[in-house]
Amino acid sequence: MSTSMQAWRAQLLRFDGAGRPLYDSDGLLITAQGADGVRRVVDAGAHDAVAARHPGLAVEHLPGRLIAPGFVDMHVHYPQLDVIGSPADGLLPWLENYTFPAESRFADPAHAAEVARFFFDELARHGVTTALTFATSHPASAEAFFAEARRRGLRMIGGKVLQDRHSPDGVRDATEQSLIDTEALIARWHGQGRLGYAITPRFAPSCSDAQMLGAAELARRHPTTWIQSHVAENRDEVRWVRELYPEARSYLDVYRRFGLLRPRAVYAHCIYLDEADRRLMHETGTAAAVSPTSNLFLGSGFFDYAAAQRHDMLHGLASDVGGGTSFSPFHTMLAAYYVGREGQSKTGLSLAPSNLWWQHTGGAARALGLAGTMGTLQDGTEADFVILNPQATPLLARKTAQAGNLEELLFALIVLGDDRLVERTVTA
Ligand code: GUN
Ligand code: ZN
């Protein structure tokens, strides 16, 4: 028996590849470190059955606790940590008055390093083990992000923002140099440990044609990298894109024309899409990062879940801090429930608690092109997980004690939960 094996006994939540929850009220999770130093699940399921296959293995017993996959945040801006809760009359004034000034400080590597440390501490406190992350336009900000993630052995994806127009001094980059910097960062960080690089054109209005074409060229040359951007978040933004690209069929079509839709391309928001856009998302394997707290805070609108499901569009949940108001996956899942329910501007539906949870774990991993790698606690996947305490507050204890089935238990955690639920975050 390998001495690197570790075992935990508790309630256990996993997912199958199709997003169905697998729950053991008395579960056992066994992990072992691979030759690459990464810890993976080797066996999991009902305690008695799993334990019988591993006689003599020392087990950490966690009575009353729930083990679940680590949360995956599909879209977050680490440099916007200090922008959380900045009120504005919508996206564009918010960017101009709060976000760009805050991001301009990331030219300073010491500031970037300090914020990166705080950011990863905060993710861990909230049970988030993987995040697709924007840095700023300064290469030093991406450097700080990757260096700190590497130090902690995390599976993280990020990239330097590209924005060479319609951006103020201090955050605007230079076309040629921005692409050179991006390629150097890919060479240095993509595939190092569990790190991945995301080519990051901020959004169509902030990138020249040359920068967009250069980004797409890099994405073709490095097909395992990610692409991340924003699309169709806000009505004023959509109008602006229509003025800038009158020849494009839609906002999403701008990205298609430049060659920026493909598997591992992730677009935040995706609110103002039409049916042809959704078909295009599906056909190209492009994913939506649904950011409900941000969309509610900035008054952007409501993601149409029924339409996304109809088109089998890849999608998952995201905090979008600092437009978003919380790093907590529980707050994000609850906001996603509200957004799903909203039935005045679109079809309202009640998303199942296990579906909300899937969107923030295995479903997000799948949307990132990482199905089978992490997010489900299936055998062979990376052992990034959370240990939750359903008794963390008096009301949580009272409510979860009354849960008659898994959906009721998960909904109690989603509605009442926050960082107090997260007793421990374990990363592979
Ligand atoms: N669109 C372009 N940049 C941003 C940003 O930083 N946050 C959000 N929510 N939308 C954007
Ligand atoms: Zn964003």
Side-chain angles (χ1 to χ4, degrees):
M1 186 184 310
S2 162
T3 51
S4 80
M5 277 174 126
Q6 284 186 353
W8 293 266
R9 179 179 185 176
Q11 299 171 64
L12 179 61
L13 174 66
R14 294 173 298 145
F15 288 93
D16 73 9
R20 279 182 295 263
L22 308 167
Y23 174 70
D24 294 287
S25 57
D26 181 14
L28 185 60
L29 175 72
I30 302 185
T31 69
Q33 202 161 25
D36 57 359
V38 177
R39 186 165 286 282
R40 292 185 177 79
V41 177
V42 293
D43 203 355
H47 172 270
D48 293 355
V50 176
R53 293 195 284 269
H54 307 274
L57 187 61
V59 172
E60 183 175 351
H61 193 191
L62 302 162
R65 303 303 190 261
L66 172 66
I67 290 178
F71 291 103
V72 178
D73 189 335
M74 280 189 67
H75 178 86
V76 58
H77 301 251
Y78 96 81
Q80 294 179 14
L81 193 80
D82 297 321
V83 179
I84 295 177
S86 301
D89 296 334
L91 171 68
L92 300 176
W94 174 82
L95 285 172
E96 188 178 325
N97 295 324
Y98 296 102
T99 307
F100 292 152
E103 291 193 9
S104 70
R105 298 184 60 198
F106 286 73
D108 172 9
H111 178 65
E114 186 274 322
V115 176
R117 285 192 297 274
F118 197 103
F119 172 75
F120 289 118
D121 285 348
E122 199 64 15
L123 292 190
R125 284 194 340 96
H126 287 284
V128 176
T129 49
T130 293
L132 174 59
T133 311
F134 272 55
T136 65
S137 58
H138 317 90
S141 71
E143 195 66 30
F145 169 83
F146 285 121
E148 191 58 32
R150 184 83 171 108
R151 205 166 291 127
R152 298 177 189 223
L154 302 174
R155 176 168 285 285
M156 288 286 162
I157 311 167
K160 173 207 128 51
V161 169
L162 300 166
Q163 55 179 124
D164 66 351
R165 66 167 181 172
H166 298 140
S167 304
D169 293 351
V171 295
R172 194 178 56 257
D173 59 10
T175 315
E176 272 291 311
Q177 192 59 44
S178 73
L179 298 168
I180 292 168
D181 290 340
T182 296
E183 191 147 42
L185 286 162
I186 292 170
R188 191 161 149 73
W189 293 110
H190 185 63
Q192 285 299 311
R194 297 200 291 156
L195 302 177
Y197 194 85
I199 297 161
T200 309
R202 183 168 205 123
F203 66 156
S206 75
C207 303
S208 67
D209 287 11
Q211 196 175 44
M212 294 281 252
L213 287 167
E217 170 61 24
L218 287 173
R220 274 191 298 277
R221 270 217 298 278
H222 303 279
T224 61
T225 58
W226 282 263
I227 297 169
Q228 57 178 346
S229 190
H230 300 88
V231 74
E233 174 178 8
N234 165 289
R235 289 189 191 279
D236 294 334
E237 173 211 21
V238 172
R239 206 170 299 125
W240 190 17
V241 171
R242 199 177 300 131
E243 286 165 20
L244 292 169
Y245 296 97
E247 69 286 7
R249 201 200 65 78
S250 67
Y251 189 166
L252 186 71
D253 190 50
V254 172
Y255 295 115
R256 179 194 66 79
R257 295 161 69 103
F258 284 116
L260 287 164
L261 304 184
R262 66 152 163 72
R264 295 196 170 193
V266 177
Y267 286 82
H269 310 301
C270 296
I271 294 170
Y272 300 101
L273 301 186
D274 62 16
E275 297 296 277
D277 290 328
R278 294 189 179 94
R279 210 172 311 124
L280 185 58
M281 294 283 292
H282 173 78
E283 285 167 3
T284 56
T286 302
V290 184
S291 307
T293 73
S294 172
N295 298 158
L296 295 170
F297 182 73
L298 291 173
S300 302
F302 304 93
F303 181 79
D304 189 337
Y305 272 103
Q309 291 175 358
R310 203 163 56 239
H311 289 273
D312 195 17
M313 235 172 83
L314 286 170
H315 62 282
L317 285 172
S319 69
D320 191 32
V321 160
T325 48
S326 174
F327 284 106
S328 173
F330 301 100
H331 290 176
T332 301
M333 290 188 285
L334 179 57
Y337 181 78
Y338 296 151
V339 164
R341 278 273 6 108
E342 190 279 333
Q344 310 307 311
S345 69
K346 57 168 181 64
T347 303
L349 43 77
S350 284
L351 294 163
S354 61
N355 177 261
L356 292 163
W357 210 289
W358 164 251
Q359 285 184 54
H360 226 340
T361 55
R366 178 166 165 258
L368 289 172
L370 292 170
T373 299
M374 52 96 170
T376 60
L377 295 181
Q378 287 289 304
D379 289 3
T381 62
E382 293 171 357
D384 294 318
F385 61 92
V386 290
I387 299 171
L388 305 178
N389 177 9
Q391 291 85 42
T393 72
L395 186 56
L396 268 168
R398 183 182 171 95
K399 183 74 190 166
T400 56
Q402 296 174 49
N405 57 43
L406 177 65
E407 295 295 341
E408 290 178 11
L409 172 65
L410 297 182
F411 212 23
L413 301 177
I414 289 168
V415 173
L416 299 174
D418 55 32
D419 50 305
R420 291 169 295 179
L421 262 178
V422 182
E423 200 162 84
R424 219 188 302 169
T425 299
V426 181
T427 50

